[in-house]
Amino acid sequence: MKIEQLMTKEVGSCQPDDSLGHPARIMWERDCGFVPVTESREDRHVVGVVTDRDICMATYTKGQPLEHIRVRDIMSTGVRSCKPSDDLNTAETAMREAQIHRLPVVDDADQLLGVISLADIAREAARETGSKRQMVTTAEVGATLAGITQPRTLAATH
């Protein structure tokens, strides 16, 4: 199965100069915990990502309100991504290796097209359960989740 078959295409994004209030609002309105950061509203080149945990930890550690912290100050860079034509196995492998639950889906110019999440894959596995042509299995999803949640080694966290 290809990523384009399961990815969420309508995703909100924010820009590096936005305050953290912007991605927090997107997360609230879209019931998600992940927002891609793009170069600008016109140039959808992915330059980072922000998670709900990033926002919580930033406000806690900085002791400042959302509106006083810029996305660029907390976003993760060096983003792992995938293409819509990639196999789901490619996304699952990337998620396991990077220990992340979501990947931006980009075109050849790294322009944002959507997001694929472990939740998208799990929903498909549940939908296909019992099907004769099951392409995504719950065992696959379980293995990916186990890889994502594997404790990191001490060397990897420092």
Side-chain angles (χ1 to χ4, degrees):
M1 180 170 278
K2 300 295 182 192
I3 289 170
E4 63 194 344
Q5 294 172 269
L6 294 182
M7 71 186 218
T8 301
K9 295 176 183 162
E10 297 295 321
V11 293
S13 64
C14 62
Q15 287 66 54
D17 288 330
D18 289 340
S19 75
L20 291 189
H22 186 71
R25 185 174 47 256
I26 291 169
M27 290 175 192
W28 178 258
E29 291 171 355
R30 294 176 184 249
D31 191 25
C32 65
F34 172 90
V35 176
V37 181
T38 59
E39 192 71 39
S40 68
R41 295 198 192 331
E42 300 77 35
D43 179 358
R44 306 247 316 148
H45 176 96
V46 177
V47 295
V49 297
V50 175
T51 67
D52 48 3
R53 184 179 190 283
D54 295 332
I55 293 173
C56 289
M57 296 308 293
T59 56
Y60 174 73
T61 60
K62 294 178 184 293
Q64 298 176 342
L66 293 174
E67 297 308 319
H68 292 166
I69 305 170
R70 298 289 133 210
V71 168
R72 76 170 61 263
D73 296 331
I74 70 146
M75 69 185 198
S76 298
T77 58
V79 178
R80 300 284 298 258
S81 62
C82 57
K83 307 281 189 243
S85 59
D86 288 343
D87 246 16
L88 275 185
N89 290 336
T90 301
E92 288 177 303
T93 299
M95 289 176 187
R96 280 192 300 272
E97 288 174 356
Q99 292 187 295
I100 55 178
H101 293 86
R102 309 161 194 98
L103 292 170
V105 182
V106 298
D107 63 15
D108 291 332
D110 287 335
Q111 298 287 311
L112 181 64
L113 299 175
V115 170
I116 185 78
S117 70
L118 183 58
D120 295 327
I121 298 167
R123 279 191 294 274
E124 180 62 17
R127 191 182 71 71
E128 290 183 5
T129 298
S131 167
K132 292 181 181 177
R133 295 196 56 218
Q134 189 168 2
M135 300 180 83
V136 182
T137 67
T138 53
E140 254 180 79
V141 173
T144 299
L145 181 59
I148 290 170
T149 59
Q150 186 74 7
R152 293 184 177 150
T153 63
L154 199 51
T157 59
H158 289 86

